[in-house]
Amino acid sequence: MKKVLALVLFAALAFAFVGCGTTTTTTVTTATTATTATTATTTTTTTTTGPSTYQIAMVTDSGGIDDKSFNQGTWEGIIEYAEANDKSYKYYKPVEVSDAAYLAAIGLAVEGGAEIVVTPGFLFESAIYEAQTLYPEVNFVLIDGTPHTPDYSTFLTASNTLCILFDEQEAGFFAGYAAVIGGMDDLGFFGGMAVPAVVRFGIGYVAGAYYAAEELGDVNGITFDATHYYYLGSFAPSNDAKTMATTWFNAGVDVIFSAAGGAGSSAMAAAEELTDKYTIGVDMDQSEESLTVITSALKGVGEAAIAALTDFYNDEFVGGRTISLGAAEGGVGLPADFSRFGTSAAAVEAAYEALFPLVVAGTVVAPTNDTASLAAFLTALGVEAAQVIAICDAAE
């Protein structure tokens, strides 16, 4: 997926850090921007002979660079580009989840010499709305969001900002489809928060599962209980999430897809304590995190960061716009390894390889982030009306 996405992005856009010598960790505790004074923490690993300024900066959202998901995938892309192109880089972790803290961390990045700042996640939308005006000489890459005022009354993507979105409904569709083709017939879904990207993952997942069931000849032969579709309210792991996953598994759920960042580890932990219970990872290939991960709904966040940085340093960066990356652009998909489906691995791989070009061509269209489109999709497949209503109510 990486090569295809990079090539497409170049056209569209026209884990540990290993250093030489002794490494140090730098923590900065006070930051002042042009409009706010607050506390922020930055962490980086540098060499004793490293630079005093850093050209490429990333500000993390509520997760960290080791969240095994969205932040980590983006950070790894930045590292890959920077080390291949002799660019200095650093990440900044805000002390809290707030617009003020995010803006303070961005201010630290700019003060530290950042030429381009990458911010992964919708939580940065309001902070970037302000930062792009405060720092017109700096370029911004906002992944999974578009800049707006806190009250959503005004949206503006300035000429120094590029927004990159993904068609998560397609990634979710592939994941649900593979699970059912692979023999799972009782499914669950964890969402971190009911934000557009997560909602798209969930709706696509449901649609893909029933599409596979219809393809197998029994569209009502799977179970997707509405009570097993839940938004956790957080992207962080918790005992409550693990307990809920355990309860679902004991009630018969075979697999849980967690579009919930680090909170997905809670479902993995629950599955590990049981027999023949599975999980689906999100954003990046999470198979190394747990043997229960049968596949992952991939988003090319790292590849998107690499492509944006490449354009920036080739003087080809075009801001003031939003692009969306789906299967057709190589932006979403599943990992190439299907071995954890066991005896069904070959069948799942063949079915996925047959489905993928249909989605690319638009022959199969996954419903997006509104329950009306999901309801229409399920109804057309012949899913029982009561089930359609229950699932759509849960997805809202």
Side-chain angles (χ1 to χ4, degrees), residues 67-206:
D67 67 353
K68 315 301 182 185
S69 188
F70 198 78
N71 286 276
Q72 181 172 334
T74 306
W75 180 238
E76 289 180 349
I78 291 171
I79 291 176
E80 181 176 332
Y81 175 84
E83 295 193 346
N85 293 276
D86 195 27
K87 302 295 182 183
S88 55
Y89 58 99
K90 184 174 182 177
Y91 79 90
Y92 299 76
K93 183 175 177 59
V95 295
E96 63 181 18
V97 179
S98 71
D99 292 341
Y102 289 161
L103 195 59
I106 291 170
L108 276 177
V110 174
E111 290 173 10
E115 300 166 337
I116 184 167
V117 178
V118 181
T119 55
F122 72 96
L123 292 172
F124 286 100
E125 290 177 327
S126 295
I128 293 298
Y129 178 86
E130 188 168 351
Q132 64 189 357
T133 301
L134 282 173
Y135 308 111
E137 74 285 1
V138 177
N139 286 79
F140 296 93
V141 179
L142 174 56
I143 300 177
D144 260 10
T146 54
H148 58 73
T149 53
D151 62 1
Y152 291 86
S153 63
T154 304
F155 285 76
L156 174 66
T157 301
S159 60
N160 58 333
T161 299
L162 172 68
C163 303
I164 303 176
L165 305 180
F166 292 86
D167 293 337
E168 290 89 358
Q169 72 275 10
E170 294 179 352
F173 191 91
F174 293 137
Y177 178 84
V180 173
I181 294 294
M184 314 290 169
D185 59 13
D186 196 330
L187 289 74
F189 173 78
F190 272 174
M193 297 179 184
V195 296
V198 174
V199 173
R200 287 193 292 270
F201 267 130
I203 286 179
Y205 178 57
V206 173

Side-chain angles (χ1 to χ4, degrees), residues 278-313:
Y278 304 96
T279 61
I280 295 174
V282 72
D283 294 334
M284 60 188 297
D285 185 353
Q286 295 185 317
S287 60
E288 292 186 0
E289 303 311 310
S290 171
L291 291 175
T292 69
V293 177
I294 54 171
T295 190
S296 298
L298 302 180
K299 289 169 60 173
V301 291
E303 293 87 345
I306 290 171
L309 292 170
T310 299
D311 276 4
F312 176 74
Y313 284 106

